[in-house]
Amino acid sequence: MVGPADAQFSSPFSDHKLLGAQTGGAVFSQLGSLGPGTLIAPHTHSREDEVTYVVEGELTIELGEEISNAPAGSVVWRPRGQRHAIWNSTSQLARFFEVVTPAENFEAFTRDVTRSVATGKMREQLLDIGRAHGIEFDMRHAGELTGRFSLRPLGS
């Protein structure tokens, strides 16, 4: 069990609750938040599946070409191989709980991103970090979404 105030480690964007070492590699989980107008750039995972539960506020989810609003209490399945983006188009903070399976690759990705944020080089290194972990970002489409919905990229 991981208590409400406990995290195995924290990144600038989330608190990591369960790590692969605790679950036999089965899952990695995190409690994250997105401020108003913030976009997690469109990307595709080749190695893991994700389930997101919206705890508070509302997220907008793009899965492939479909865009849906996910208010608090919604559960979103994002399978590997399907491009997806997440953003907060409201004026309130959105909080979400995410389970990623299997754990190892995405856990390593989040640790690498956390290190790049600490050095101030996330924007320059994100695409390479993603590729190293089988995650392809679509920055052209991110630009389309930021313009269309008046968003800013996570970490900017």
Side-chain angles (χ1 to χ4, degrees), residues 92-147:
Q92 304 297 316
L93 180 72
R95 294 179 62 232
F96 57 93
F97 182 76
E98 201 161 62
V99 176
V100 181
T101 183
E104 182 179 346
N105 183 62
F106 193 72
E107 185 177 318
F109 168 78
T110 61
R111 288 183 187 273
D112 288 349
V113 168
T114 298
R115 280 191 288 277
S116 75
V117 169
T119 63
K121 297 186 177 185
M122 185 189 92
R123 293 187 67 102
E124 296 89 349
Q125 297 176 344
L126 182 62
L127 297 179
D128 290 335
I129 293 170
R131 278 188 210 100
H133 295 285
I135 301 169
E136 287 293 326
F137 286 88
D138 185 341
M139 300 315 282
R140 180 193 59 76
H141 188 51
E144 294 169 356
L145 292 173
T146 57

Side-chain angles (χ1 to χ4, degrees), residues 1-83:
M1 185 179 114
V2 179
D6 298 332
Q8 302 306 314
F9 80 93
S10 293
S11 75
F13 313 114
S14 61
D15 289 329
H16 303 238
K17 297 297 207 170
L18 285 174
L19 303 180
Q22 297 169 285
T23 65
V27 298
F28 167 83
S29 70
Q30 61 185 350
L31 181 61
S33 61
L34 273 182
T38 304
L39 168 72
I40 297 175
H43 59 283
T44 305
H45 298 259
S46 65
R47 302 177 188 164
E48 54 271 326
D49 303 309
E50 299 173 288
V51 175
T52 301
Y53 174 78
V54 182
V55 175
E56 178 183 322
E58 180 175 291
L59 295 173
T60 302
I61 312 287
E62 181 184 60
L63 290 169
E65 301 298 319
E66 184 177 329
I67 296 176
S68 302
N69 291 328
S74 298
V75 176
V76 181
W77 166 248
R78 294 176 286 145
R80 70 187 77 189
Q82 185 173 27
R83 185 187 74 190

